[in-house]
């Protein structure tokens, strides 16, 4: 049933696989403890790589999936399926008409591992040795397509590709689909699996990655005066969104409301962060949620650990929200999961509402100049958290903001 005036959207399911573990609770336990999922790359990686650390998921995805089927999937499709299955199970497997169920899963690079791997096969062995599954494995819409087939979702399978804002933008798109009356339930999130020598070397050439050769667990240090670049990571985060009336009719448990969302484009620089565009996204998301800046009590920052990026975001938060909100940055523990990062941050923000705990920023010894925020360090912070902001930004000037609140 379509309810055009029903703008309330609840989050009823969560799923994740990250460098902190397979499953939401493993990830959350690691975040609250301030642990790190970043490690040193093994000897099998090329010796000339300028970066030797990354955040990898600690389990073989095939061990969590049917091996025969999963071998047809790129690693990003495997991770998306793991996160989606957990979120769907967590939501209680809603019984919804197929035409009222949609899937939106964003990614920055899609099946880049397949693209590069199959190119190697072609160069080495010729055209006849290519996999017949190469195209469905490499296409960026593959994760959303496979999940839609798994769930029988016929309300649309969409794929925002907006660099590191992809996962958050997917969740914002899911909110729009429900509010527009086009779906009752949307499985939304983001995924990335691009840990390959080419990708690492390419980011390193941009001077975006840290080349710190010390303890891998200490390399990702958002907002810290000694930050030197981000750490690449892989993972997936997925949420199940439901029209509130639909969720309540089936007595579904909810983690909270997706109260508002917004996207903006900075139109400023292909890679450099821009505080003005971020401010616009944050303020628009707050208006969409019907909230004032003072209502936001916690912020899950994008905060990748690059010097200019963190500074621009700190300025944007101070300008759009103010200095009263407590700010965390979970990339200090997971590394930067690129297109998955915003969705994983949204999962963490909803768990903050559930448990009243805000994870600390690992490795934040001394905030850098211009970081005039109430940053959480030294341990998780307990609080009566009621409204959280999730920031997510990407190369190309993509900005996304999500606002989550307690139900009711």
């Amino acid at each position: 049933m379509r309810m055009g005036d029903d703008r309330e959207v609840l989050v009823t399911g969560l799923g994740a696989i990250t460098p902190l573990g397979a499953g939401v609770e493993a990830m959350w336990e690691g975040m609250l403890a301030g642990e790190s999922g970043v490690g040193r790359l093994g000897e099998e990686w090329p010796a000339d790589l300028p970066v030797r650390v990354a955040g990898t998921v600690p389990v073989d995805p095939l061990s969590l999936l049917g091996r025969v089927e999963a071998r047809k999937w790129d690693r990003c499709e495997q991770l998306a399926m793991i996160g989606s299955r957990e979120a769907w199970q967590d939501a209680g497997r809603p019984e919804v008409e197929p035409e009222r169920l949609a899937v939106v899963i964003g990614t920055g690079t899609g099946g880049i591992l397949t693209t590069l791997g199959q190119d190697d096969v072609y160069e080495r062995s010729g055209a006849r040795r290519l996999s017949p599954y190469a195209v469905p494995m490499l296409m960026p819409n593959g994760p959303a397509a496979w999940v839609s087939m798994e769930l029988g979702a016929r309300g649309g399978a969409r794929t925002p590709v907006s660099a590191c804002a992809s996962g958050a933008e997917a969740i914002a798109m899911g909110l729009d689909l429900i509010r527009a009356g086009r779906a009752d339930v949307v499985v939304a999130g983001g995924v990335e699996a691009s840990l390959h020598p080419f990708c690492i070397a390419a980011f390193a050439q941009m001077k975006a990655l840290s080349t710190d050769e010390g303890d891998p667990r200490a390399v990702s240090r958002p907002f810290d005066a000694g930050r030197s670049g981000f750490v690449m990571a892989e993972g997936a985060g997925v949420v199940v969104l439901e029209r509130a009336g639909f969720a309540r009719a089936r007595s579904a448990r909810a983690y909270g409301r997706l109260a508002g969302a917004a996207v903006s484009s900075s139109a400023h620089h292909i890679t450099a962060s821009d505080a003005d565009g971020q401010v616009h996204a944050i303020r628009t998301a707050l208006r969409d949620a019907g909230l004032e800046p003072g209502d936001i009590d916690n912020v899950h920052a994008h905060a990748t650990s690059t010097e200019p990026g963190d500074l621009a975001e700190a300025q944007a938060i101070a300008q759009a929200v103010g200095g009263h909100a407590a700010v965390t940055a979970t990339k200090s523990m997971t590394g930067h999961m690129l297109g998955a990062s915003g969705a994983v941050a949204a999962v963490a923000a909803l768990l903050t509402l559930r448990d009243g705990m805000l994870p600390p920023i690992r490795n934040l010894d001394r905030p850098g100049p211009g970081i005039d925020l109430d940053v959480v360090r030294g341990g998780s912070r307990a609080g009566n958290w009621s409204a959280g902001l999730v920031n997510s930004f990407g190369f190309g000037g993509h900005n996304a903001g999500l606002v989550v609140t307690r139900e009711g």
Side-chain angles (χ1 to χ4, degrees):
M1 177 177 66
R2 177 173 177 172
M3 297 179 63
D5 60 346
D6 188 354
R7 289 175 52 83
E8 187 179 9
V9 174
L10 301 181
V11 183
T12 60
L14 304 177
I17 179 167
T18 75
L20 288 173
V24 166
E25 296 305 331
M27 178 196 78
W28 187 233
E29 182 179 339
M31 285 183 175
L32 293 182
E35 297 175 355
S36 175
V38 176
R40 197 167 301 282
L41 294 173
E43 294 300 323
E44 68 275 13
W45 288 78
D48 63 346
L49 273 183
V51 173
R52 306 300 305 177
V53 300
T56 61
V57 299
V59 296
D60 179 1
L62 290 178
S63 70
L64 304 176
L65 300 165
R67 284 183 171 269
V68 174
E69 184 178 37
R71 289 187 185 279
K72 302 176 184 178
W73 299 335
D74 180 84
R75 189 175 178 89
C76 77
E77 295 168 337
Q78 295 170 1
L79 298 183
M81 189 64 74
I82 291 169
S84 297
R85 285 177 175 175
E86 181 185 18
W88 191 248
Q89 177 68 32
D90 188 44
R93 299 181 177 274
E95 293 185 6
V96 55
E97 295 178 14
E99 291 75 16
R100 303 291 297 168
L101 172 62
V103 174
V104 188
I105 297 181
T107 181
T109 59
I112 188 69
L113 297 184
T114 292
T115 300
L116 294 170
Q118 287 294 294
D119 181 66
D120 287 343
V121 171
Y122 176 77
E123 295 290 345
R124 183 175 61 249
S125 305
R128 292 184 179 277
R129 301 301 297 174
L130 291 177
S131 169
Y133 301 109
V135 171
M137 291 174 74
L138 66 84
M139 59 191 194
N141 61 306
W146 283 114
V147 171
S148 73
M149 286 184 277
E150 167 99 353
L151 301 179
R154 296 181 180 178
R158 303 188 179 189
T159 305
V161 179
S162 44
C164 305
S166 300
E169 188 167 333
I171 294 174
M173 186 179 291
L175 178 68
D176 288 345
L177 284 171
I178 293 175
R179 284 180 172 174
R182 295 173 182 167
D184 292 318
V185 181
V186 179
V187 177
V191 65
E192 205 74 72
S194 56
L195 294 179
H196 183 282
F198 172 86
C199 300
I200 293 174
F203 274 115
Q205 280 294 96
M206 297 176 64
K207 308 300 182 185
L209 300 185
S210 174
T211 56
D212 190 333
E213 296 183 355
D215 182 354
R217 299 170 298 176
V219 175
S220 184
R221 30 194 339 110
F223 296 133
D224 188 72
R227 64 192 184 277
S228 57
F230 74 81
V231 175
M232 281 187 68
E234 62 180 358
V238 181
V239 301
V240 175
L241 308 175
E242 297 191 38
R243 181 170 56 80
F246 183 88
R248 288 171 181 150
R250 69 182 191 89
S251 301
R253 176 233 33 218
Y255 289 92
R257 293 191 304 153
L258 179 56
V263 298
S264 74
S265 51
S266 293
H268 166 68
H269 190 277
I270 196 64
T271 58
S273 297
D274 171 63
D276 290 342
Q278 296 175 16
V279 168
H280 178 58
I282 294 169
R283 286 178 171 169
T284 305
L286 290 176
R287 285 196 299 271
D288 188 47
L291 299 180
E292 298 295 329
D295 296 324
I296 297 296
D297 52 33
N298 71 95
V299 177
H300 286 252
H302 185 67
T304 62
S305 191
T306 64
E307 185 172 352
D310 288 5
L311 179 58
E313 183 176 12
Q315 293 170 343
I317 293 171
Q319 187 176 343
V321 176
H324 66 280
V327 179
T328 189
T330 54
K331 290 182 183 67
S332 61
M333 295 171 276
T334 64
H336 188 1
M337 292 173 283
L338 308 177
S341 61
V344 170
V347 171
L350 288 153
L351 293 171
T352 289
L353 298 180
R354 183 192 72 176
D355 294 345
M357 297 296 293
L358 195 59
I361 303 176
R362 182 183 171 91
N363 302 321
L364 181 48
D365 300 326
R366 181 169 60 90
I371 309 299
D372 301 318
L373 302 171
D374 179 16
V375 290
V376 180
R377 53 179 178 153
S380 295
R381 185 183 299 183
N384 187 29
W385 313 111
S386 60
L389 169 70
V390 176
N391 285 340
S392 193
F393 314 120
F395 284 176
H398 301 282
N399 309 301
L402 306 174
V403 176
V404 296
T405 64
R406 289 180 181 169
E407 183 184 2

